[in-house]
Amino acid sequence: MKKGDFVKVRAYGGKILTRRVVAVDEERCVVFVATDEEYRQAEEEGREPRCIGFPLWDVVEE
C-alpha cells in the first residue's frame, strides 16, 4: 500500500468502504484514508487530505 492507492476498509458494522490511502504507519498498524473526492480536492488545493485512521487488519481484499 502506498499513498494514492485505492483500498477497501471494513467500517463499523462490517460495511466495506473504498478509500484512497493518505499514509501508512506500520509501527502503529494504522492506515490513514480519505474519500476519492477529498483526496483529489486536496491535491488540487495543495494541501493534505482530511483523513481517518483504520487498523491495518481492517483493510480487506474482495
Side-chain angles (χ1 to χ4, degrees), residues 7-60:
V7 294
K8 292 183 187 282
V9 293
R10 183 177 296 109
Y12 181 78
K15 186 174 180 179
I16 304 299
L17 308 172
T18 301
R19 297 292 185 258
R20 298 278 296 262
V21 174
V22 175
V24 178
D25 184 339
E26 291 184 20
E27 188 174 303
R28 294 190 287 172
C29 297
V30 175
V31 60
F32 294 93
V33 297
T35 63
D36 184 48
E37 180 182 351
E38 170 60 18
Y39 190 89
R40 286 200 253 164
Q41 186 174 8
E43 277 193 330
E44 289 175 12
E45 296 173 2
R47 61 175 174 83
E48 284 294 312
R50 287 178 289 238
C51 57
I52 188 167
F54 281 86
L56 286 175
W57 54 81
D58 280 338
V59 175
V60 296

